[in-house]
Amino acid sequence: MNFADKVVLVTGASRGIGRAIARQFADHKARVAVHYHQNQAAAKDTRAPMPGGPHVLFQADVASAEAAQHLIHSVVKDMGRIDIVVNNAGIFEPHPIVEVSFENWQDAWKRTLATNLLGPAHVMFWAAQQMKRQGGGRIINISSRGAFRGEPEAPAYGASKAGLNALSQSLAKALAPYNIYVCVVAPGFVETDMAASMLDGPAGEAIRNESPLRRVARPEEVARTVLFLASEGSEFLTGCIVDVNGASYLRT
Ligand code: NAP
């Protein structure tokens, strides 16, 4: 895979899966827009070992429509173009229906949908305008196994990812005439900050044993799938949702 001359925006690249995606794109010659929300120091750590470049840091709260618009405009202004967008930034906030107040319930739904669903929608709106002007592009969205399997502790999370799947497939159809291809990667549990408290807690072993490989995914394994979907020759996969869950949940 060779992404020479490509500019790639990875949202939520300060940590976890986004960091691995940003670094792998740089390893394959892309120039990377390393996006972060609150952790500028961590975003700098992401960038530090990346070869090539220049790779540029961008701050934005993707839950804000204005910030999402500004993010795309800033990437184009500072890096000249935008060829690939990876909507990876996301949050997971437990809000079990029989335990939380109605106020907490509403807050969790608003924050989760704003970050995990509306954020990618707004980023894609502006990225698509730019990619259309450039003659094409690639969008890869990071969803979750929870979209298919249910998220009893965090139903807004499951709904946000199911919505992201449907949004991605709608845009795969809408944008194909402009050579813009849209794919989804749906990981199961991954070794990151987001999953750390569950993986380190009493349920950790049971979670690892959900896969016959008896472990969860490494961020680099998710990143590898993203790069494949963004590479030349994978155009006809547009609209696909690729599971990266170690056979922990198989759907037909
Ligand atoms: P993580 O380690 O918690 O990192 C989350 C990233 O998202 C950080 O870079 C964070 O930025 C950014 N972010 C959070 N809220 C944001 C906002 N409002 N605006 C902009 N950026 C924001 O998460 P991860 O595990 O790498 O997850 C990455 C993606 O994979 C998410 O979409 C997640 O739902 C999905 N996923 C994860 C797992 C898993 O088990 N880890 C499983 C399935 C799917 P700052 O650090 O700068 O604040």
Side-chain angles (χ1 to χ4, degrees), residues 11-19 35-40 42-43 59-64 87-92 111 114-116 142-146 151 157 160-161 164 185-196 198-199 216-217 219 222:
T11 69
S14 48
R15 294 182 282 129
I17 297 169
R19 169 176 282 183
H35 160 266
Y36 66 97
H37 179 211
Q38 290 175 318
N39 284 303
Q40 188 189 57
Q59 192 282 332
D61 178 356
V62 297
S64 152
N87 281 301
N88 163 80
I91 56 170
F92 179 96
R111 268 195 303 275
T115 309
N116 294 3
I142 309 300
S143 173
S144 171
R145 183 185 68 168
E151 289 285 357
Y157 180 84
S160 72
K161 297 299 190 179
L164 184 60
V185 175
F189 273 100
V190 186
E191 284 170 358
T192 69
D193 294 347
M194 183 180 280
M198 282 174 278
L199 296 174
V216 300
V222 181

